[in-house]
Amino acid sequence: APERESAPQRLAASGVLNLEANSEGTIILALGEAADRLLAALPEKAPLRGDPGDRDIFHVLPPGATGFLVGRRMLLSRKAARGTTVRDAVEAAQARGRLGALMDDARLLRVFREVCQGMAWAHQQGLVHRRLGPDAILIGQQGESIVSEWGGATAGSAAPGIRAGSESFSLLEPAWTAPEVGGGSSRGDARSDVYSLGALMYFVLAHRLPYTGNTPAEVVSRQRSGPPTPPSGSGSTVSRDLELVCLRALSADPAARQGDARQLLEDVEAALTGGAARKRTLDAANDLVAKARRASENYRAARDRAKSQAQEARRREVRHGTNSPEAQAAFAAARASEKAMVQSLGDAERDLASAMRHVRGHAEARLIKAELHWSEFELAEDAGDERAAALHRQVVSQFNDGDFDVRLRGEGTLAVTTVAFPCTCLHAGRRVSSPEAVRNGYHLASGRALDAIAPIAGLPALEWAGEVLLRAHGPSCVAQPAPGADVWLYRYATEGVFLKPALPDLGQGTRRQPLPPAILDQVYPHDSPFRPAVDGIHLGRTPIARLAVPSGSYLLVIAKDGAIPVRVPVRVPRCDTADIRVTLYSPGEIPHGFTQVPSMKFSWQGDRENPHSLPHEIVTTPEFFMGIQPVTCAEYAEFLSSLEAVEPAAAAARAPRGSPQGAPLWAGPPWTPPPTPLPEGGGGWKRLPGVPANWEADWPVLGISWEDALEYCAWLRSAKGWLFTLPHELDWALAARGPDRRRYPWGNGWDPACCNSDKSGSGPPSPVSVRAFPADESPFGVRGAGGNSRDFCLNSPGADFPSARLMRGGTWAGSGIQNSVTWRSTADERHVSPKGGMRVMLVPRLG
C-alpha cells in the first residue's frame, strides 16, 4: 500500500529483508533482530499477519484484503540478494578468451548444480517456479547461487498454507520456456521447470540459446520439431554424457524428460563422475526388464485364458458336438490364446536376455526369468511331460535367488478328518424320488442326460414314479465329526513298473509303526502285491492338523473301532494342502465286494502317450463305492434267472450274445453259471466270437449291451436295496488310477504280466477269471481295470454320439496304451462285444 511503502523500502535497502509482492500483498522474511526492526518500521495500524509461533515470517496485506497465514514455510521468501545474473556471467566468460571461458564454465556448472539442488527441494514441496532463466539465477557476492523471480510460482501439490502465485505475470522469452507452456497448452509442472533448467544448462555449456526464432511462435515450433544442435557443435569441450543429459531435459515430450530437478541433478552428477555410461546401461537394462515384465504378465493372462477356453471348448464339444459353431469358436479362441502365450513368452525371454547382457546378474530380470520357467514347469508337469518339466525346473534353480526355495523343495501339507452319518439311511433305507437320483448330470437309473442339447434319453422306463425305498443318504443327511480314527501314512515309491507303499521320510520325531494284521487283511487281499511290506508312519488319531510333507503320492490307511477300515491314496500338491475328509461306515452299511472312494481332487486325462487323450484337468467327484471286481458270469446268471421268472423273453434277450439281436450264447433257461467243464458238445453253450476258450463262471460277463448293464443295475437295486448304477467315466477314472495320475492301475510302466492282455500268455488271448491277475489292482483296490474286460459307463461321449455310451478299461484282446486308464472308447447303447462287460458303482448319498 502507498502509505506503507517507505518502511519496507528502507528495510529492504538495509539488506536484512526480502520483499516479494503479488496481488495478495507482500511476503516479508525477517531474521532475528531484523524482525524487531520490521515491527518498529511499520505503521502502527498496518494489517500484519504472522505465525504466532515464529516472528520471523510476516505477511503484509494491502488495504481491504483478507489474508492467509504463511506459517513456518519459506517457499515464497528469500534473503535479500545482490549479485550477477547468469546471463551476465556467460557474456563475461565469452569476453575473457578460451582459457578464461573454461575456468568460468566450471564455475557456472557448479552454480547450475546448486540451482538444481534448490529446485529439487522446491519440487519436493510441490512448488513449480515457471520463470527459470539466466536472469532469474544470481551469483552472489560470496559466490553463492540464488534462485530469484518467484512471483509467478505455482503450488501444484504443496501442503496447505502455501499460496500459489498470481497468474498475471509475463512468461520468459520462449527459448527458456517449455513448449507446452509457451504454446499455451499447459500451466506447467516440475517437468516444465526441468525444460527451463535444460535450456539454462545448454546456455552455460554452449554459450548460446538452444533455439532461436523471429517470433515466439517460431521458437515454439522449432522446440517441437526436434532436439537442438548438441552443445558440442559450437566447439565446446562438454562430455558426451553431459550433453545427453542436457538434450534429454530439452525433449519436446514432457514424459521423455527427467521427472523433476532431483532426477536431473542425479543425471548431471552421474555424467560428471563418469557414471553416466553405467547409468545409461542400467537404464537400458531396466527398460528391457519393464518390457519383459509386461510380456510375462501377458503370458500368464494368455495361459490362464487358454486353459479355461480349452475346458470350455471341451464342454461345448460334449454338449453341442465337435463340429458345432459353439465348439469350433471355443477351440479357435483357445488356439489364439495359446499363440498369444507363446508370443509373449518369446518376447519376455528376448528382453530378459538383452537386459542380462547389459547388466549381468540383474536381480529383477533373474526373478522374472525364474517366474516364467516356473510357469512352464507347471504346464509341463500338468501335461505329464517329465523331460520338459525337469528342464524348466533346472532353469528355475539356476536363476533362483531365494524366492523359489520353498517351491523347489516341493513341500505341501496334509490334513485328515473323519466324519460319520448319525442317521440309519444305509441300514433301514429312505424314500427317494426319481428326480433326486442324479449325479454328474445324468439320471442314475436311466442314463438320461439332463443338460445335453441332443436327445440322450437312455432307458426312461427305468425311472420310477413316486418314491422308492433305497439305502442311501439324502440331501438333508449331514455327516458329523467322528474323531479318533488311527491314521497310517505310506509313500508310494517306484519298484519296477509298480508304485508300492514305502516308508515316508518325514524327518526325526515321526513314529514308525506296522499296520496291525487285522486291519491289513481288511484293506488288502492276501494275494495283493501292494500289501505294505514295511512300517508306516502312525500320524496319530483324527483330526490330523496340517502336517508338512514333501509333495508326492501317498497312501493313508484309516481305521476306527466299529467302522470299516479304508485305504485312501492321496496326492500332496506342491505348496498346497491335501485336505482329506473321509466318511466312516459301519459294517452292514455297505455290501461286501465294494471299495470306498472318498471325494477328492484328481487328475483327469492328460496322457502324453495316449494320442486320443483329452487335455489335463483337475476335477472333483462326490464320494462313491466301486465294485472291486467286474460283474461275473455267475452274478449275471443270477440276474437272468430272476428275470426269467417274470419275463422269460426279456431274459433270453439280455443273455450274452454275439450280436444285438443274436441268439443267446448261454444255455437256458434255466440260466445258470457256466459249468466247468462244459458238457460234451457244449450242451447249448457257445463260445464268444473270436474267443478260443469256453465260458467260465468267474469270467467277467461279456457279450452284453449297455442297456443290459443298466437293467442289471435296476434288478440289483430292487434285490439289495442300495443305489447301484453304472459309473460315470469320471468316477471310473478316479477309482482306476487314483489321484496321482498314474498311467496304469499298478503304476506308470506297461508290463503284460500285470493284467490280462493279448500278450499276457503263451497261447491265444482269451478272457480269464477276475482273480487271475492280482497285480491289476488300483490304489483303491479296484481290480481288472487294466485288462480282461472293458466296462460300460453311464455317460455319453456327447452330442456327436447321442445313442452311444463310453467304455473304459483294458481288454483281453488289447495291450499297451489301449489298456491304460486314460483310454476311452464308445459303443452304441445296444451294441454287444466279446470285449465289453460291466462294473457296478454304489452311490451312498444323493444331493
Side-chain angles (χ1 to χ4, degrees):
E3 65 269 24
R4 277 179 266 130
E5 284 181 358
S6 57
Q9 286 175 349
R10 288 198 306 273
L11 291 166
S14 68
V16 295
L17 294 176
N18 174 64
L19 307 182
E20 193 71 78
N22 57 31
S23 61
E24 299 295 335
T26 302
I27 305 249
I28 302 177
L29 170 64
L31 300 175
E33 296 180 359
D36 297 328
R37 283 190 280 169
L38 169 65
L39 294 176
L42 288 173
E44 184 177 351
K45 296 183 179 181
L48 178 68
R49 298 290 177 87
D51 186 340
D54 188 345
R55 289 185 44 172
D56 290 345
I57 302 174
F58 302 94
H59 187 195
V60 180
L61 303 176
T66 58
F68 59 89
L69 294 177
V70 176
R72 298 179 63 86
R73 309 298 293 275
M74 294 186 287
L75 293 181
L76 299 181
S77 301
R78 67 178 187 276
K79 295 189 298 182
R82 294 180 177 84
T84 303
T85 66
V86 167
R87 186 190 299 273
D88 292 339
V90 169
E91 292 174 353
Q94 289 176 306
R96 293 181 60 192
R98 182 171 180 77
L99 181 59
L102 287 174
M103 297 177 61
D104 285 341
D105 285 351
R107 181 170 63 94
L108 289 171
L109 193 55
R110 176 186 59 77
V111 169
F112 176 77
R113 291 160 64 192
E114 292 175 352
V115 169
C116 286
Q117 286 179 329
M119 288 307 304
W121 183 83
H123 286 169
Q124 186 180 12
Q125 307 307 311
L127 191 67
V128 181
H129 191 285
R130 302 206 304 168
R131 301 192 67 183
L132 289 169
D135 296 320
I137 308 303
L138 302 179
I139 303 173
Q141 295 172 340
Q142 306 302 320
E144 69 272 23
S145 305
I146 303 169
V147 181
S148 182
E149 302 294 334
W150 286 94
T154 61
S157 59
I162 303 303
R163 186 66 176 267
S166 169
E167 292 297 327
S168 59
F169 70 95
S170 298
L171 286 170
L172 296 171
E173 55 187 289
W176 313 104
T177 306
E180 67 271 15
V181 176
S185 61
S186 171
R187 281 184 55 192
D189 55 16
R191 291 183 186 270
S192 59
D193 275 356
V194 167
Y195 185 93
S196 298
L197 289 169
L200 182 65
M201 182 179 177
Y202 189 98
F203 184 61
V204 167
L205 296 175
H207 296 178
R208 58 187 172 85
L209 299 178
Y211 296 99
T212 59
N214 295 322
T215 65
E218 185 178 347
V219 174
V220 172
S221 176
R222 291 179 178 176
Q223 288 174 324
R224 291 175 174 171
S225 65
T229 302
S232 57
S234 62
S236 171
T237 58
V238 61
S239 70
R240 178 60 177 164
D241 290 341
L242 200 60
E243 189 172 67
L244 290 174
V245 172
C246 178
L247 293 177
R248 181 186 174 190
L250 287 170
S251 299
D253 180 10
R257 302 171 200 150
Q258 292 86 351
D260 58 18
R262 182 171 299 281
Q263 290 186 18
L264 175 59
L265 178 62
E266 289 173 355
D267 284 357
V268 170
E269 296 294 346
L272 292 174
T273 58
R278 291 192 300 273
K279 185 177 186 301
R280 204 162 48 243
T281 300
L282 180 59
D283 287 345
N286 288 339
D287 289 343
L288 288 164
V289 169
K291 288 176 61 180
R293 173 64 74 185
R294 291 192 293 272
S296 69
E297 291 169 356
N298 293 338
Y299 159 79
R300 279 189 289 272
R303 178 199 61 188
D304 295 342
R305 194 164 57 247
K307 183 176 181 179
S308 64
Q309 287 169 340
Q311 293 172 356
E312 177 60 23
R314 172 59 187 153
R315 285 190 287 269
R316 293 186 184 186
E317 181 184 32
V318 170
R319 182 173 173 80
H320 302 283
T322 302
N323 296 319
S324 65
E326 295 86 352
Q328 288 300 309
F331 280 122
R335 287 193 296 271
S337 294
E338 288 175 355
K339 184 177 180 180
M341 179 182 75
V342 172
Q343 179 64 49
S344 297
L345 178 61
D347 291 344
E349 290 279 21
R350 180 197 64 228
D351 292 334
L352 289 174
S354 297
M356 285 186 278
R357 280 196 298 269
H358 280 77
V359 178
R360 187 176 181 181
H362 194 291
E364 188 178 1
R366 289 174 60 83
L367 174 62
I368 297 174
K369 180 87 170 179
E371 288 173 344
L372 284 171
H373 282 271
W374 185 260
S375 294
E376 285 292 290
F377 164 76
E378 290 179 321
L379 287 177
E381 191 177 50
D382 186 62
D385 189 343
E386 295 180 0
R387 180 175 178 275
L391 288 173
H392 289 297
R393 193 178 191 280
Q394 186 175 6
V395 175
V396 174
S397 299
Q398 179 184 351
F399 289 91
N400 172 41
D401 292 327
D403 299 271
F404 290 83
D405 288 351
V406 174
R407 278 176 277 188
L408 287 170
R409 283 200 303 270
E411 290 185 347
T413 54
L414 173 67
V416 185
T417 56
T418 46
V419 297
F421 285 96
C423 52
T424 61
C425 296
L426 289 176
H427 286 289
R430 59 180 288 274
R431 308 301 297 183
V432 177
S433 66
S434 184
E436 286 184 84
V438 173
R439 182 183 175 92
N440 291 329
Y442 284 83
H443 196 283
L444 295 175
S446 67
R448 174 171 57 91
L450 275 66
D451 59 353
I453 296 296
I456 303 175
L459 295 178
L462 296 182
E463 296 184 25
W464 57 88
E467 295 181 338
V468 296
L469 185 67
L470 286 173
R471 299 171 73 171
H473 293 297
S476 61
C477 300
V478 179
Q480 302 296 325
D486 286 285
V487 181
W488 285 264
L489 178 71
Y490 298 84
R491 177 180 58 87
Y492 276 112
T494 300
E495 185 179 309
V497 297
F498 296 120
L499 286 171
K500 288 189 174 183
L503 179 68
D505 182 11
L506 301 187
Q508 297 181 348
T510 54
R511 182 185 175 192
R512 295 178 54 172
Q513 180 178 312
L515 197 62
I519 296 175
L520 181 62
D521 289 343
Q522 291 184 75
V523 294
Y524 280 96
H526 284 280
D527 63 347
S528 172
F530 303 101
R531 285 171 65 102
V534 298
D535 292 346
I537 299 295
H538 185 246
L539 299 182
R541 293 183 172 177
T542 57
I544 305 297
R546 291 190 174 185
L547 174 70
V549 296
S551 64
S553 182
Y554 292 88
L555 168 70
L556 298 173
V557 177
I558 302 173
K560 185 179 181 181
D561 289 342
I564 303 171
V566 58
R567 69 199 231 196
V568 184
V570 175
R571 176 68 183 177
V572 177
R574 182 182 291 99
C575 302
D576 202 351
T577 297
D579 200 343
I580 305 301
R581 184 176 184 265
V582 177
T583 305
L584 300 177
Y585 294 90
S586 62
E589 286 191 308
I590 301 298
H592 178 71
F594 286 81
T595 184
Q596 184 177 351
V597 183
S599 176
M600 64 176 62
K601 294 179 180 179
F602 76 100
S603 294
W604 162 252
Q605 289 288 292
D607 185 351
R608 289 176 57 84
E609 292 192 9
N610 178 357
H612 305 292
S613 174
L614 295 173
H616 177 237
E617 186 177 355
I618 299 296
V619 298
T620 303
T621 68
E623 183 180 48
F624 62 96
F625 285 79
M626 183 66 86
I628 294 174
Q629 308 283 11
V631 174
T632 64
C633 292
E635 292 168 327
Y636 196 76
E638 186 180 355
F639 157 62
L640 292 180
S641 296
S642 177
L643 189 58
E644 173 71 24
V646 294
E647 200 174 350
R654 301 292 179 196
R657 51 204 183 276
S659 64
Q661 305 301 325
L665 298 176
W666 286 9
W671 305 100
T672 60
T676 303
L678 289 180
E680 186 176 349
W685 292 83
K686 300 180 179 62
R687 290 179 175 179
L688 279 163
V691 176
N694 295 325
W695 292 91
E696 294 187 16
D698 59 355
W699 275 15
V701 64
L702 300 165
I704 62 171
S705 70
W706 178 85
E707 290 185 348
D708 299 336
L710 214 58
E711 290 279 3
Y712 176 87
C713 292
W715 166 78
L716 200 62
R717 281 195 303 273
S718 177
K720 306 291 186 180
W722 281 282
L723 186 46
F724 297 110
T725 185
L726 295 179
H728 188 284
E729 69 164 332
L730 290 178
D731 301 320
W732 189 96
L734 174 58
R737 79 186 308 193
D740 60 6
R741 207 172 173 180
R742 57 185 65 193
R743 184 167 287 118
Y744 300 96
W746 55 84
N748 288 310
W750 167 250
D751 185 344
C754 291
C755 68
N756 185 32
S757 72
D758 63 356
K759 294 181 174 59
S760 297
S762 57
S766 169
V768 296
S769 167
V770 295
R771 291 179 290 275
F773 284 85
D776 189 357
E777 178 181 300
S778 84
F780 284 107
V782 172
R783 291 200 168 183
N788 213 18
S789 67
R790 186 161 283 159
D791 301 327
F792 279 111
C793 291
L794 184 68
N795 58 306
S796 162
D800 288 333
F801 307 96
S803 63
R805 299 290 163 160
L806 280 154
M807 299 187 76
R808 299 299 302 272
T811 72
W812 57 269
S815 63
I817 198 65
Q818 291 183 335
N819 284 40
S820 71
V821 290
T822 62
W823 191 264
R824 305 166 78 235
S825 60
T826 61
D828 188 84
E829 293 174 350
R830 296 183 178 180
H831 176 75
V832 297
S833 166
K835 305 172 188 176
M838 64 178 296
R839 188 185 301 268
V840 174
M841 183 178 87
L842 184 155
V843 178
R845 184 177 186 269
L846 294 169

